[in-house]
């Protein structure tokens, strides 16, 4: 489990525990209301922690589907491989799952990182290579200057 997830679960547990402890000091309908609030929060947190990875997967799939036509338009007659961060696997949870990696067939030792906000807002946010940046065929001038 990633430390970030552990902190999130501990915080959720702390909030629910605090409400339960406070409810013991209350009487009558206020006790029932606070217990009900604790149960509702527990259910909400449970749904959140179960649904969030599924939601992230759906968003990544949507962004990859938006990136493909962009690459076809910008780099016609070229082949590439698109990969995403396996955010559910151990060792990758600290990486941003929304950054999409592209490796072009004619530049196999260069990985380009794309950020997709919408159909009309796609940008290259960086690259990874051991080659000289001036020799790259697919680098955005904006991202390589940074």
């Amino acid at each position: 489990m990633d430390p970030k997830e552990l902190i999130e679960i501990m915080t959720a547990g702390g909030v629910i525990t605090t409400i339960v402890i406070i409810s013991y000091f209350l009487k009558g309908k206020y006790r029932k209301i606070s217990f009900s609030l604790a149960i509702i929060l527990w259910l909400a947190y449970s749904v959140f922690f179960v649904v969030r990875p599924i939601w992230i997967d759906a968003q990544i799939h949507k962004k990859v589907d938006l990136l493909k036509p962009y690459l076809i338009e910008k780099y016609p007659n070229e082949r590439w491989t698109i990969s995403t961060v396996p955010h559910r696997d151990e060792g990758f949870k600290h990486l941003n799952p929304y950054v999409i990696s592209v490796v072009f067939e004619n530049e196999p030792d260069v990985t380009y990182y794309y950020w997709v906000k919408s159909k009309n807002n796609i940008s290259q946010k960086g690259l990874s290579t051991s080659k000289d940046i001036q020799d790259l065929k697919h680098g955005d001038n904006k991202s390589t200057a940074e």
Side-chain angles (χ1 to χ4, degrees):
M1 182 176 295
D2 190 45
K4 179 182 151 194
E5 286 178 344
L6 187 63
I7 291 170
E8 290 171 345
I9 291 171
M10 287 174 45
T11 302
V15 168
I16 292 169
T17 303
T18 302
I19 291 172
V20 169
I21 290 172
I22 289 173
S23 70
Y24 280 113
F25 296 111
L26 301 175
K27 304 249 188 242
K29 72 175 183 177
Y30 295 112
R31 179 179 284 185
K32 288 181 183 179
I33 290 171
S34 62
F35 273 132
S36 298
L37 178 64
I39 290 170
I40 290 169
L41 282 176
W42 177 76
L43 288 172
Y45 283 132
S46 298
V47 167
F48 172 76
F49 288 122
V50 169
V51 170
R52 182 172 55 174
I54 298 166
W55 175 260
I56 291 172
D57 286 341
Q59 294 300 308
I60 291 169
H61 182 71
K62 180 179 163 187
K63 290 174 186 290
V64 168
D65 288 344
L66 291 172
L67 180 62
K68 287 177 184 177
Y70 171 82
L71 292 173
I72 290 170
E73 180 184 318
K74 188 156 182 168
Y75 305 110
N77 303 322
E78 296 219 24
R79 301 182 69 114
W80 54 80
T81 304
I82 294 176
S83 60
T84 58
V85 174
H87 66 97
R88 292 186 185 203
D89 296 344
E90 287 296 323
F92 293 98
K93 294 185 186 238
H94 68 287
L95 299 175
N96 186 345
Y98 296 109
V99 175
I100 302 168
S101 304
V102 177
V103 177
F104 290 91
E105 196 174 79
N106 59 354
E107 275 186 316
D109 55 344
V110 182
T111 304
Y112 295 94
Y113 302 105
Y114 284 88
W115 182 258
V116 180
K117 286 188 180 178
S118 67
K119 180 180 179 182
N120 298 321
N121 193 354
I122 300 173
S123 59
Q124 190 181 100
K125 290 297 181 187
L127 54 93
S128 171
T129 185
S130 59
K131 294 172 70 174
D132 191 18
I133 292 177
Q134 285 75 22
D135 298 337
L136 302 180
K137 300 173 186 170
H138 304 96
D140 262 352
N141 291 335
K142 293 184 291 185
S143 66
T144 56
E146 294 175 357

